[in-house]
Amino acid sequence: MYRILELNPQLKPFAGDIDLRMNCYKSTKNRLLSKGGTLNEFANAHDYFGIHHVNGGWIYREWAPNADKLYLTGDFNKWDKTSHPMKKLENGVWELFLEGEDALVEGCKVKTVVDVRGKLTEHIPLYARRVVQDPKTIVWCAEIVDDKKAFPWTDQSFVPEKTLYIYEAHVGMAQEEGKVGSYREFADYTLPRIKQAGYNTIQLMAIMEHPYYGSFGYQVSNFFAASSWFGKPSDLKYLVNKAHGMGLRVLLDVVHSHAVKNTAEGINMFDGTTWQFFYDGPKGDHPAWDTKCFNYGKDEVIHFLLSNLKFWMTEYHFDGFRFDGVTSMLYHDHGLGTDFNDNRKYFSLNTHTEAITYLQLANELIRQVNPSAITIAEDMSGMPGICLPIEDGGIGFDYRLGMGLPDMWIKTVKEKKDEDWPIEQMWGSMCLRRPGENTVAYVESHDQALVGDKTMIFRLADAKMYTDMDKICHNPVIDRAIALHKMIRLFTLAGGGEAYLNFMGNEFGHPEWIDFPREGNGWSFHYCRRQWSLRDNGFLKYQWLGDFDHDMIALAKENDLFDQRMADLKLLKDPEKLIAFYRKGLLFAFNFNPTRSFTDVLVPVPANADYTVALSSDDEQFGGQNLIAHMTYPAKKIKGTWYVELYLPARTAVALKEGERREDPEEEEPEKTDLEKTEPEEEK
């Protein structure tokens, strides 16, 4: 029996489905490796295919099984479409050797001409490493990268921190000027900010080439090309190398769930067919994204995608991946409109077993290339085993994004009055994690910051952000927004998962949404940048939010918070809006009540020790009123349970660090308080 069934006994009726999952994985792996070897040895398509500088000249190979003829054209032959035909080898492979070291040069522009039944079409080589757009003709073409030129990597001794504090970032909008930012600008100006803020992992969006800037990088056209929107391949390597030098892990937001349907810019219809890479017919079209869906049951497609993962790890030294659109991959209906409230919905004819097999193979390959690599699944369905090892019957990811948490916060803030916040349900959302599977907790990612949605601070403060964020201004709307912004983040980080994520700028309450340049906004960059000066300006309240986020991250890291998988609930009083829980030596207490402060609140603690305030959202340096004293609270024993007495002002949160534990003294009698008029409640 696989371990997934031991961790989830309720899944035992689906043991046959788990067996099917594992049998598909094993049979596919055996088929791919029929000649022996490992996935790491198998996934080298990028070294064979594409254009490479070799001794004596240049070699170009392509896979186009349906094509009748292939040609290479470009600057080198004055764009003669048919002067350089390729030779057809076996299994749909084509080859061309250009003699002479200078037959091609770095920066030379090329395209592939494909002849299908006498019809010539132009395409970008499938393994192109750089793709650029002509500013005049707006036509995209490949640009030669001389792979003989080695980048001077200096990250050989890089060892990442074990836990994840993720800073999700977009290179192009990471600067304040109204333009597309570059890899080098990000490396030189944004990386130091991320490091100073305390985050140790960067998750980079929109790195794989995409023809439409406003797609946020999620409609990929060229899978082996680092986006030219932000600079050259060497510039991206400079970024990653510099990040490693600063102790920062770098994850790639990889898109293998679909591809742009464009034929001139992308891989669609390269050899005249959709089924070269994608499913034919309606199954190959994503109904919501207007993109193409990969055929994960085809060996050549698996080879292409696995090689793509290895390429980004070996060529650019990425430390792992956040897999986009995993839910769309897992189900034939892409999970659209499905409420995953029954285990039968995970194991049915709707389950895309071939996609699951591909994800298992991908995770195995990634660990073979780099045993310390990290993989994160963007799966909102909660597929059982998504983050369990393959040998346990799982799919092999390290973490799943806790996508229900931002949805819970949006619903709470949008639909509930402050006095009606459902504290017990909020806590339940934090605990909704499968046994043995890690979750990345977050309040908001890029999804919540895009135009058409609202960031958390914008939901809380709205238009008052434009007028009342000066520190000398006191507006109750802003006071509430700042207080809850801090509490919501601390509550989520402390209770919601085994890792934490923040989208660029949200840590200091960036005041505006993200809207990429488009026809509807006059191609403006006004909402496609990050106003770091708001954080840096010592006169504005954004500094308070940024400083609190910094100290919150520091507290969690210093105490290895995520080493304890689940927090222990110590106090929950829904009518009063009070909750307290303990995790890895820290006691977190929250008063979400909008008007009532409580004195002498008895909070159960695990042991006889002194508890010292380590972080308070009410500190003056964070925009609070300094009502919580930074003092030591000794535990007292009441009827066999240890407690600390706390003062919890309205809309505040406090974290107390447990000191050295002592032997039990004689029991003390409690004094009655305004909240505890009866015997203390049992721990929930």
Side-chain angles (χ1 to χ4, degrees), residues 408-584:
M408 179 274 291
W409 285 122
I410 291 171
K411 186 174 182 180
T412 300
V413 171
K414 184 178 179 180
E415 300 178 3
K416 303 286 185 182
K417 296 179 180 179
D418 290 8
E419 57 269 26
D420 296 330
W421 278 24
I423 305 301
E424 190 167 357
Q425 292 180 28
M426 288 159 51
W427 176 247
S429 296
M430 297 295 138
C431 300
L432 195 60
R433 316 205 293 271
R434 290 194 178 275
E437 303 195 39
N438 292 331
T439 296
V440 177
Y442 64 104
V443 177
E444 50 192 342
S445 67
H446 71 273
D447 286 328
Q448 288 71 41
L450 285 168
V451 66
D453 207 333
K454 285 186 177 181
T455 61
M456 182 54 63
I457 194 67
F458 225 26
R459 288 187 180 278
L460 294 168
D462 213 10
K464 294 296 182 182
M465 293 199 73
Y466 294 118
T467 57
D468 298 301
M469 286 298 283
D470 194 296
K471 288 181 179 178
I472 63 173
C473 177
H474 296 287
N475 183 302
V477 173
I478 295 297
D479 291 345
R480 168 184 176 268
I482 287 178
L484 290 178
H485 192 271
K486 293 179 289 187
M487 294 182 71
I488 288 170
R489 274 167 160 68
L490 183 61
F491 190 73
T492 303
L493 179 144
E498 293 76 30
Y500 181 72
L501 177 142
N502 165 73
F503 178 69
M504 178 176 62
N506 287 349
E507 72 277 9
F508 64 85
H510 198 281
E512 293 173 334
W513 55 83
I514 301 166
D515 191 12
F516 282 87
R518 55 186 173 86
E519 187 175 3
N521 63 16
W523 303 103
S524 171
F525 281 89
H526 182 74
Y527 295 110
C528 195
R529 57 197 177 100
R530 295 286 90 174
Q531 299 180 69
W532 304 108
S533 58
L534 299 176
R535 167 72 172 87
D536 299 339
N537 188 321
F539 299 102
L540 299 178
K541 298 175 182 179
Y542 300 102
Q543 181 186 11
W544 290 340
L545 298 178
D547 288 349
F548 180 80
D549 193 84
H550 171 275
D551 287 8
M552 176 184 75
I553 297 292
L555 178 70
K557 291 174 70 175
E558 289 167 5
N559 292 275
D560 298 320
L561 184 69
F562 300 139
D563 283 358
Q564 181 178 332
R565 285 187 55 83
M566 296 287 289
D568 300 322
L569 183 63
K570 294 299 182 183
L571 177 75
L572 197 161
K573 291 183 174 294
D574 214 320
E576 291 85 1
K577 308 306 171 193
L578 295 177
I579 184 171
F581 52 86
Y582 176 91
R583 190 175 187 185
K584 196 59 170 61

Side-chain angles (χ1 to χ4, degrees), residues 21-263:
R21 170 190 294 182
M22 297 307 298
N23 289 336
C24 288
Y25 154 73
K26 293 173 183 176
S27 62
T28 302
K29 181 179 174 182
N30 288 337
R31 186 177 72 247
L32 295 175
L33 305 181
S34 59
K35 297 181 180 179
T38 64
L39 290 174
N40 191 11
E41 295 166 327
F42 168 78
N44 290 314
H46 53 287
D47 290 332
Y48 180 77
F49 293 109
I51 301 173
H52 301 281
H53 191 177
V54 296
N55 292 333
W58 296 75
I59 190 79
Y60 173 39
R61 298 189 188 94
E62 202 65 271
W63 174 63
N66 187 63
D68 294 312
K69 296 177 183 178
L70 254 67
Y71 307 88
L72 183 66
T73 185
D75 293 338
F76 73 99
N77 68 357
K78 298 181 180 180
W79 295 97
D80 187 315
K81 290 187 178 181
T82 59
S83 65
H84 285 72
M86 300 180 70
K87 178 183 178 182
K88 189 174 185 179
L89 307 179
E90 296 180 349
N91 302 317
V93 177
W94 300 79
E95 182 180 273
L96 171 66
F97 178 71
L98 297 174
E99 188 174 357
E101 296 289 333
D102 58 352
L104 295 174
V105 294
E106 182 151 342
C108 170
K109 294 176 176 58
V110 298
K111 296 188 83 170
T112 306
V113 178
V114 180
D115 181 340
V116 179
R117 318 300 181 258
K119 181 181 179 181
L120 301 182
T121 55
E122 294 185 3
H123 301 266
I124 293 171
L126 294 175
Y127 291 81
R129 300 193 177 193
R130 177 164 165 80
V131 179
V132 297
Q133 185 180 35
D134 187 296
K136 294 182 180 179
T137 65
I138 69 171
V139 173
W140 291 81
C141 63
E143 192 173 275
I144 296 297
V145 175
D146 189 345
D147 55 349
K148 264 193 173 184
K149 295 181 179 179
F151 182 83
W153 293 98
T154 60
D155 61 351
Q156 292 79 9
S157 60
F158 170 64
V159 179
E161 295 180 12
K162 63 176 181 176
T163 51
L164 299 185
Y165 295 88
I166 304 170
Y167 200 85
E168 184 186 29
H170 184 281
V171 169
M173 57 177 291
Q175 36 65 52
E176 194 149 351
E177 192 177 347
K179 65 172 188 176
V180 178
S182 71
Y183 294 123
R184 286 188 175 264
E185 287 174 323
F186 187 92
D188 293 338
Y189 303 116
T190 308
L191 285 183
R193 290 185 177 276
I194 299 171
K195 177 68 175 178
Q196 192 280 330
Y199 292 87
N200 61 17
T201 302
I202 305 166
Q203 182 178 297
L204 287 181
M205 310 172 61
I207 297 301
M208 304 168 77
E209 189 61 88
H210 49 289
Y212 179 45
Y213 186 54
S215 74
F216 228 149
Y218 289 121
Q219 294 202 0
V220 173
S221 53
N222 313 104
F223 285 77
F224 292 83
S227 180
S228 59
W229 289 107
F230 317 125
K232 296 183 177 181
S234 58
D235 298 330
L236 176 56
K237 294 175 183 179
Y238 172 82
L239 188 163
V240 176
N241 192 54
K242 188 164 186 175
H244 287 169
M246 300 170 69
L248 301 172
R249 179 192 283 109
V250 188
L251 304 180
L252 174 67
D253 197 347
V254 69
V255 185
H256 282 182
S257 48
H258 61 133
V260 70
K261 67 179 183 181
N262 303 29
T263 57

